Amino acid sequence: MEQYKFLSSTNISGQQQGERFHKDLVQVEPALLDVIQDAVLIYDPHYHLSFWSRQAEELYGWTAQEALGQDVRQLLQEQIIREPMERERRLFQEKEIWEAELLHKAKDGRQVIVESHARLLPHEERSLVLETHHDVTAQRQAEQLLEEYYQRAQKAIDVGVWRWEISRDKQGRLYARGIINSRVAHFLKLPSNTLLTDEQFFTFIHPDDRPLVRRTFERVIETGSDYNAVYRMLDPEEGTVWVASRGSVVTDQQGTPLYAIGITLDITEQKQIEEALQAANRRITSILEHVADGCIHVDNEWRYSYISRGTEKLAGVHREMFLGQSIWEVTPHLCGSETERFLRLARETQQPVEYEMFYAPAQQWWKLHIVPASDHLAVYYHNITALKEIQSLYKEQEETFRRLADANLVAVASCTEESDIIDANDAFLTLIGASREELRTGKLNFAKITPKEYEALDRERHEEARSMGVSSPYEKEYYHRLGHRVPVLVAGAYMEHSKHYTAIIIDISEQKELEKQREVFFGIISHELRTPLTAIGGTLQLAQRRLKRFVCQPEECGPRVVDLLQNTGLLIEQALRQTRVQDRLIEDLLDASRIAVDKLELTMMPADLRQIVRETVEDLRATALDHTIALLLPEVPLPVCVDRMRVAQVLGNYVTNALKYSPAGAPVTVEVTSAGDEARVWVHDRGPGLSEEAKQKIWSRFQRSADAKAHSRLGANLGLGLYISQSLIRRHQGAVGVESEQGKGASFWFSLPLRTTCL
């Protein structure tokens, strides 16, 4: 290799340094670039490369012969990530330093993120730009890894609960026996609710951790203090499992320990991630042993021989004031400081030294690297304030996780875009009857445990998660290992960086079983109550018809027989009225059940809303003998798409309530209005009105007015009419409401969208 001379920066001016550096660039000592360790390149105003350092060759893969003369922007496929100011104006007009964060593409296709610093080199003939590239790819990847770890850890906590009964033996020595739940049992590979002695428990602990755990255990049962331990447990299938166990002791009034209760958390994955992060930090540390945010050189006489622009900007002084001066004289605060100790240590041992410090004037954390050479010490420092903030956030998240550990968490599982399950907690494995060995060997796949009728729904929710980040909850089923289906409620999230889905899964088997039992119960009501009720009604109607055909005059049968026949007819009519009331109550129960399980079917057809209202009111007038029902209809047709029977049912419920709570003889008004693309049906009464609290409750199931008994002349009710009405109108994409003041009556309404066709 050709020998070169080193340019001294002490005895010549800045302008002279730039001119001489350009003229004698090929004479610069390679050792200078070895100290800097950043990639250095020089190009003209057209971005054509005229210099390409050895570090640039190592960073990007192109040799100097391949790079020289190329447009640097096209060669590196440059993308600007962060640029505080425009490059051409900054360099060629203002002639100042230009800084930016850039994304480049290496020769082998790797993406490289660099911090770029460029300045104009003055020259007699033409202008050149000197630019350095500092590789921060590993640092950005580590930050991204930290962020994803926090998200995954928050969703993957799996908690076990234990309880240790504390007693004394005949010698008065305290001892304990423990009861564990299913999740702790999973750690120990024991049946749930197994009873263990303390000696049996210690056989499951890693031998190296037993003394510490035993001392902690004995201290807890002797003093009643809180239990807090992190240790390894032996697992014949999985090897060593890391757990964190925390608990408290409960004592009697005399302070005697009775039992200890707490939780155990599997933190194996957390430990593995921490080790990966430590390895990443070690890699970052090795990368950062070069120029970062600032650099200074100190010669063997402890004089400043070089100060970077970043250092100059941070200190807020001109570096010319420091160059050639003793560091102990111009920066006396370093005397006796930790920095002096590390500087002397690096000089004496000729080994690199790194440490962290807090720079109070800037309120920032820095990581310093001291690299010794034969004739100087190079000190590079990097701003790690953001990393410190991440670490602080991690500690806060860890505290949050400890608090969440007291709750029973749901099943959690993660999968690839091909539905291969790559991670799951014990709750999910128990849900489908799978083992952790099957999970580890990649034998679990969501598509294989999902019935085919849910495939389309899964694809729809996956697309939603990819576009929105999360998917809305939905119900589906999984196959259990034993062959039966497990109904579940699923909500998922998509992690863009790793291309994985993470799902939270709730077992709703008990809920579905209750719904099934309810359907059976109401089926019994329908058959066992309605069938005999229909028979009773038919028999009464037959008796009524026969009684009407029997005509008897008082002079023929006598007055007592005539009175008996008339009274019998009235009794039969009352009995028929009660059978109709009971039939309506049964129908309300069945409708409420169908609505609750989403089994209510509608037959949608085009219709004129005026006609439906007119026919319904005419039918109701025949039964409301002591009330007048007024009808106000618009002149123009109101086209709607509805189930005619169900809309008539809603209007009937409204009018029946109005008649029930209106004084005898008071009129009830039915009115139909329209505005825009909506029609509204009103029922106005002159009853007692509703309070604000009552208006909020009346749409719920089994809600009845406080004075319902005072208005029971029109038949009993279960408080389901308005609940059913609201559900039916919502199924028609409409709305319901009420306007009322106490003592001034009430106006109930429902609205329907106007449309000429059914979609």
Side-chain angles (χ1 to χ4, degrees):
M1 179 180 293
E2 187 177 355
Q3 299 297 315
Y4 304 105
K5 296 181 179 180
F6 181 77
L7 293 178
S8 172
S9 62
T10 306
N11 301 319
I12 58 178
S13 67
Q15 180 177 359
Q16 291 171 336
Q17 288 183 38
E19 294 174 354
R20 184 173 178 182
F21 182 79
H22 174 65
K23 292 177 180 179
D24 302 325
L25 184 61
V26 295
Q27 296 180 346
V28 176
E29 184 178 355
L32 177 60
L33 299 180
D34 292 337
V35 171
I36 296 177
Q37 297 192 19
D38 279 344
V40 179
L41 47 148
I42 299 177
Y43 52 83
D44 61 20
H46 300 292
Y47 297 95
H48 293 148
L49 287 164
S50 58
F51 179 75
W52 185 259
S53 72
R54 178 176 57 81
Q55 289 80 359
E57 292 180 351
E58 294 176 355
L59 180 60
Y60 296 115
W62 281 284
T63 64
Q65 290 78 8
E66 293 173 322
L68 293 179
Q70 299 287 333
D71 186 320
V72 64
R73 299 169 299 178
Q74 297 179 2
L75 178 68
L76 301 180
Q77 300 183 31
E78 180 179 281
Q79 298 182 35
I80 298 177
I81 300 176
R82 178 175 55 83
E83 179 187 33
M85 58 202 74
E86 190 265 333
R87 176 158 45 188
E88 283 74 10
R89 179 178 61 82
R90 188 67 173 176
L91 288 175
F92 301 113
Q93 296 179 18
E94 301 178 2
K95 298 182 180 181
E96 294 289 340
I97 293 177
W98 176 77
E99 299 176 342
E101 187 167 300
L102 308 174
L103 174 64
H104 289 154
K105 193 169 185 179
K107 185 177 181 180
D108 59 7
R110 290 179 295 108
Q111 289 189 331
V112 181
I113 303 175
V114 299
E115 291 179 349
S116 174
H117 301 266
R119 64 171 299 167
L120 193 66
L121 296 176
H123 189 259
E124 301 171 348
E125 301 175 357
R126 58 173 180 164
S127 296
L128 295 175
V129 176
L130 184 145
E131 186 167 308
T132 62
H133 290 176
H134 170 50
D135 184 8
V136 295
T137 307
Q139 178 186 350
R140 297 295 181 263
Q141 291 174 345
E143 292 171 355
Q144 196 168 20
L145 178 63
L146 276 171
E147 181 179 356
E148 183 168 3
Y149 163 65
Y150 301 142
Q151 296 173 354
R152 289 171 58 85
Q154 188 174 8
K155 299 178 181 178
I157 297 176
D158 196 11
V159 179
V161 180
W162 50 263
R163 175 188 173 105
W164 292 95
E165 301 290 344
I166 301 174
S167 306
R168 290 187 183 272
D169 57 18
K170 294 181 179 179
Q171 289 74 34
R173 184 180 69 90
L174 288 170
Y175 68 95
R177 291 186 300 176
I179 301 175
I180 55 178
N181 76 348
S182 59
R183 295 187 181 180
V184 178
H186 169 77
F187 299 145
L188 307 182
K189 295 298 181 292
L190 294 173
S192 183
N193 296 322
T194 299
L195 187 65
L196 293 176
T197 66
D198 51 358
E199 293 300 328
Q200 290 173 327
F201 172 71
F202 280 106
T203 61
F204 294 99
I205 298 178
H206 193 284
D208 295 342
D209 296 339
R210 288 174 189 170
L212 174 62
V213 177
R214 184 179 293 277
R215 288 195 300 271
T216 304
F217 185 81
E218 291 174 350
R219 176 178 55 80
V220 168
I221 65 175
E222 288 287 347
T223 65
S225 58
D226 288 344
Y227 180 77
N228 192 335
V230 176
Y231 51 92
R232 290 163 291 177
M233 302 196 73
L234 302 176
D235 188 321
E237 297 179 3
E238 301 179 15
T240 301
V241 177
W242 279 95
V243 299
S245 188
R246 297 175 178 83
S248 299
V249 173
V250 178
T251 63
D252 60 14
Q253 295 180 349
Q254 289 73 36
T256 303
L258 299 177
Y259 61 87
I261 187 168
I263 56 97
T264 297
L265 175 67
D266 185 345
I267 61 171
T268 305
E269 183 177 359
Q270 175 184 338
K271 284 286 187 180
Q272 293 170 347
I273 293 175
E274 289 175 352
E275 291 174 0
L277 288 175
Q278 291 172 359
N281 273 335
R282 288 192 292 271
R283 290 194 296 271
I284 293 173
T285 299
S286 65
I287 293 172
L288 291 180
E289 290 179 351
H290 51 69
V291 176
D293 293 296
C295 172
I296 62 172
H297 289 184
V298 180
D299 63 19
N300 290 337
E301 301 299 325
W302 298 106
R303 294 175 302 191
Y304 288 108
S305 59
Y306 173 76
I307 298 176
S308 70
R309 289 287 185 185
T311 303
E312 185 179 46
K313 184 184 297 184
L314 177 67
V317 296
H318 295 293
R319 53 183 175 174
E320 286 77 9
M321 298 172 56
F322 287 78
L323 291 175
Q325 302 295 319
S326 169
I327 64 173
W328 314 123
E329 293 177 1
V330 297
T331 50
H333 64 276
L334 294 180
C335 297
S337 68
E338 189 178 51
T339 299
E340 179 185 2
R341 181 168 66 86
F342 284 122
L343 286 171
R344 296 188 182 278
L345 177 65
R347 170 68 58 81
E348 294 170 2
T349 62
Q350 284 296 295
Q351 295 294 323
V353 175
E354 65 178 51
Y355 69 101
E356 296 178 0
M357 64 170 289
F358 182 71
Y359 187 59
Q363 291 293 300
Q364 293 175 333
W365 279 93
W366 300 90
K367 187 166 222 177
L368 281 76
H369 305 266
I370 306 174
V371 182
S374 60
D375 59 347
H376 71 276
L377 288 175
V379 182
Y380 309 100
Y381 53 90
H382 185 72
N383 190 333
I384 60 170
T385 305
L387 183 60
K388 285 291 186 180
E389 291 174 351
I390 292 175
Q391 292 174 346
S392 176
L393 177 62
Y394 168 74
K395 291 179 181 179
E396 293 178 6
Q397 293 291 338
E398 186 179 35
E399 180 63 26
T400 301
F401 297 155
R402 291 195 189 101
R403 295 176 182 176
L404 289 174
D406 292 332
N408 288 323
L409 302 181
V410 296
V412 179
S414 297
C415 70
T416 65
E417 291 184 329
E418 291 74 32
S419 297
D420 293 322
I421 302 175
I422 58 175
D423 192 15
N425 63 1
D426 295 332
F428 176 77
L429 297 178
T430 302
L431 182 74
I432 62 173
S435 66
R436 190 158 291 278
E437 179 63 23
E438 291 176 295
L439 175 65
R440 183 184 297 105
T441 55
K443 296 181 180 179
L444 300 181
N445 183 284
F446 272 120
K448 294 180 180 179
I449 63 173
T450 297
K452 289 190 176 297
E453 60 263 32
Y454 296 102
E455 291 179 355
L457 182 59
D458 276 347
R459 285 195 298 270
E460 177 185 332
R461 290 299 189 268
H462 285 180
E463 288 297 329
E464 180 183 355
R466 270 196 291 265
S467 61
M468 305 297 294
V470 295
S471 67
S472 53
Y474 66 104
E475 292 185 10
K476 61 175 292 187
E477 293 177 320
Y478 289 130
Y479 285 122
H480 191 274
R481 168 180 288 186
L482 300 179
H484 63 273
R485 295 188 178 196
V486 181
V488 294
L489 181 67
V490 181
Y494 182 68
M495 306 180 72
E496 179 65 32
H497 174 66
S498 59
K499 307 299 182 185
H500 292 163
Y501 295 96
T502 299
I504 297 175
I505 303 151
I506 301 175
D507 185 352
I508 57 174
S509 301
E510 293 184 4
Q511 175 185 339
K512 289 297 182 182
E513 182 61 28
L514 288 174
E515 291 177 357
K516 188 179 299 183
Q517 293 176 5
R518 182 168 52 189
E519 289 186 34
V520 172
F521 172 71
F522 284 116
I524 293 173
I525 291 178
S526 176
H527 183 270
E528 300 298 332
L529 294 182
R530 177 176 285 175
T531 300
L533 193 63
T534 302
I536 293 171
T539 302
L540 290 173
Q541 289 175 350
L542 179 61
Q544 188 181 50
R545 286 196 297 269
R546 290 182 176 178
L547 189 63
K548 288 181 179 179
R549 288 200 300 267
F550 184 75
V551 180
C552 182
Q553 299 298 326
E555 58 273 13
E556 298 176 357
C557 304
R560 293 183 60 187
V561 174
V562 172
D563 291 342
L564 178 61
L565 292 175
Q566 291 177 348
N567 291 335
T568 301
L570 292 175
L571 292 174
I572 292 175
E573 180 59 36
Q574 292 176 0
L576 283 171
R577 187 181 301 115
Q578 291 302 317
T579 59
R580 288 192 291 270
V581 170
Q582 296 303 315
D583 189 65
R584 178 172 56 81
L585 295 178
I586 293 172
E587 187 61 36
D588 284 348
L589 280 173
L590 292 173
D591 280 346
S593 175
R594 296 185 190 107
I595 291 170
V597 297
D598 198 21
K599 298 292 185 181
L600 186 66
E601 297 182 358
L602 300 178
T603 303
M604 308 293 283
M605 296 180 62
D608 184 352
L609 182 60
R610 299 180 308 163
Q611 182 181 359
I612 298 174
V613 173
R614 184 186 296 109
E615 293 175 355
T616 304
V617 170
E618 289 175 356
D619 292 339
L620 292 169
R621 282 171 174 167
T623 60
L625 301 179
D626 55 348
H627 288 274
T628 299
I629 303 178
L631 180 60
L632 301 176
L633 296 176
E635 297 181 358
V636 297
L638 298 176
V640 291
C641 180
V642 295
D643 184 322
R644 297 174 63 95
M645 296 293 294
R646 293 301 186 179
V647 172
Q649 180 182 352
V650 172
L651 180 56
N653 285 340
Y654 277 19
V655 174
T656 300
N657 279 347
L659 296 173
K660 183 181 300 183
Y661 296 107
S662 293
V668 171
T669 302
V670 178
E671 180 184 10
V672 181
T673 62
S674 65
D677 58 354
E678 177 186 272
R680 183 169 293 191
V681 180
W682 297 81
V683 176
H684 309 285
D685 66 48
R686 299 184 183 180
L690 297 169
S691 64
E692 290 299 324
E693 181 181 1
K695 285 191 285 187
Q696 299 297 324
K697 294 181 177 180
I698 56 174
W699 304 103
S700 302
R701 290 191 299 176
F702 307 113
Q703 290 295 324
R704 303 173 64 191
S705 173
D707 59 347
K709 293 182 179 180
H711 303 276
S712 61
R713 64 185 183 279
L714 295 178
N717 72 90
L718 297 175
L720 292 172
L722 293 180
Y723 164 74
I724 294 171
S725 298
Q726 181 188 53
S727 301
L728 289 173
I729 294 302
R730 284 180 176 175
R731 291 284 298 274
H732 283 81
Q733 287 77 53
V736 299
V738 60
E739 297 178 4
S740 178
E741 293 183 28
Q742 285 188 295
K744 296 183 179 181
S747 295
F748 284 82
W749 59 266
F750 65 87
S751 63
L752 294 170
L754 294 173
R755 59 181 68 167
T756 57
T757 59
C758 293
L759 302 178

